[in-house]
Amino acid sequence: MTNLSGRGAIVTGGFSGMGFAIATALAKAGANVAVGSYVAQTQPGRADAAYYPGTEEIDRVRAALAAHGTRVHAAHLDVRDSALTNVFFAEAQAVIGPADVLVNAAGTTAEQPVCGHSDELWDKIVDTNLTGAFRTTRAVLPGMIERGWGRIVNIGSTAASVGWKDNPAYCASKSGLLGLTRCVALEGAPHGVTCVMISPTWVETELMRRNVAQVVEREGKGRSAEELMDEFRKGNPQGRMMQPEEIAALAVFLCSDLARGITMENIQITGGALW
């Protein structure tokens, strides 16, 4: 088993989906874990498919992670805001210790073609998925380099290399995240810091369900969201949907000493699917 006892790990987008699964797996491996997500008292008006947890989720997430016996910090985090990001990271490290691990799992998407795509929606997706990962990496990379050890895992997507109709901002952001991953890997390589991107196909999360609902709404054709999800399952060579725990298992391994030679890579978890 991977042993991360004493390590401090920060997971963005850690209240749900892949982020929460990864945070849980890190805590089980012995890491002290800080999780941040955009927390909203009321659901904001928006055109994206992101899941926005309410304030009541903070205590639930903190308790669930603390059950594994390590130190936990859970709070609101908006990776689109540099000042708020820096405050969150300072408060997180006051609880869990220096950040040895960073997992960038915060993300959003929307069904919207280039034609008619607003600046506001484009900026929201790219700023969350790409620039947000830059901000968080910038906050922890100097300390990792100074200490001579660090693991950065970016949650990408097959969208980094395969286009998907009506998702230009998402595809562009994930392609950019791969470029950022490679640059950070090269910067950290002489100092014991690795940076890897995990790129899954469809993963069964709340974000996916909301995204599929947007596809159904845009395309119509009399299908329900569940029927479309079943089409995705049948279209996968393995005949199923990837699960968050599968992504988490790989992420934890990449954060271990056993994976110190794995950096600058884009590792896909697809069940054989191209998307």
Side-chain angles (χ1 to χ4, degrees):
M1 293 181 63
T2 302
N3 186 352
L4 296 175
S5 297
R7 297 294 187 188
I10 297 178
V11 182
T12 72
F15 280 32
S16 64
M18 287 182 279
F20 181 70
I22 293 169
T24 300
L26 288 168
K28 287 181 178 179
N32 301 310
V33 181
V35 290
S37 283
Y38 190 101
V39 176
Q41 291 185 342
T42 59
Q43 293 298 304
R46 62 190 186 279
D48 63 319
Y51 169 67
Y52 292 88
T55 53
E56 71 281 357
E57 291 288 281
I58 295 176
D59 289 338
R60 180 192 67 80
V61 169
R62 184 185 294 117
L65 295 176
H68 301 290
T70 62
R71 297 194 300 276
V72 174
H73 177 71
H76 168 73
L77 170 62
D78 185 355
V79 297
R80 298 172 300 163
D81 187 310
S82 292
L84 289 178
T85 297
N86 291 338
V87 168
F88 173 87
F89 274 64
E91 292 176 345
Q93 291 181 90
V95 175
I96 68 168
D100 301 303
V101 171
L102 169 65
V103 179
N104 285 308
T108 188
T109 188
E111 287 294 309
Q112 178 63 54
V114 171
C115 296
H117 207 305
S118 69
D119 286 356
E120 181 182 12
L121 182 58
W122 177 276
D123 291 345
K124 184 173 189 177
I125 295 170
V126 174
D127 204 13
T128 301
N129 298 356
L130 174 56
T131 313
F134 159 73
R135 291 187 181 98
T136 58
T137 300
R138 183 178 59 186
V140 300
L141 185 58
M144 291 178 175
I145 289 174
E146 181 180 354
R147 293 188 299 275
W149 199 97
R151 299 289 184 268
I152 299 174
V153 178
N154 294 323
I155 302 303
S157 167
T158 48
S161 54
V162 180
W164 182 264
K165 181 174 66 73
D166 294 345
N167 278 270
Y170 184 74
C171 291
S173 69
K174 294 302 183 180
S175 292
L177 185 59
L178 179 54
L180 176 64
T181 298
R182 289 167 172 162
C183 292
V184 172
L186 290 172
E187 189 169 345
H191 310 285
V193 179
T194 67
C195 186
V196 181
M197 188 158 96
I198 300 175
S199 288
T201 181
W202 292 106
V203 179
E204 196 165 2
T205 64
E206 183 61 26
L207 174 62
M208 182 201 169
R209 295 185 189 94
R210 289 169 180 252
N211 190 196
V212 168
Q214 285 193 337
V215 175
V216 170
E217 183 179 354
R218 285 187 60 82
E219 296 184 357
K221 300 181 181 179
R223 293 178 299 182
S224 69
E226 186 52 46
E227 287 172 333
L228 182 54
M229 288 185 67
D230 195 49
E231 285 185 25
F232 290 147
R233 292 186 188 97
K234 293 176 180 177
N236 188 288
Q238 291 188 341
R240 67 185 186 90
M241 200 78 74
M242 303 301 108
Q243 297 300 309
E245 292 73 21
E246 297 176 78
I247 316 305
L250 176 57
V252 171
F253 171 73
L254 292 172
C255 293
S256 73
D257 285 328
L258 294 173
R260 61 185 179 275
I262 304 175
T263 193
M264 202 173 158
E265 296 295 337
N266 178 32
I267 304 174
Q268 298 191 94
I269 300 180
T270 67
L274 294 177
W275 170 271

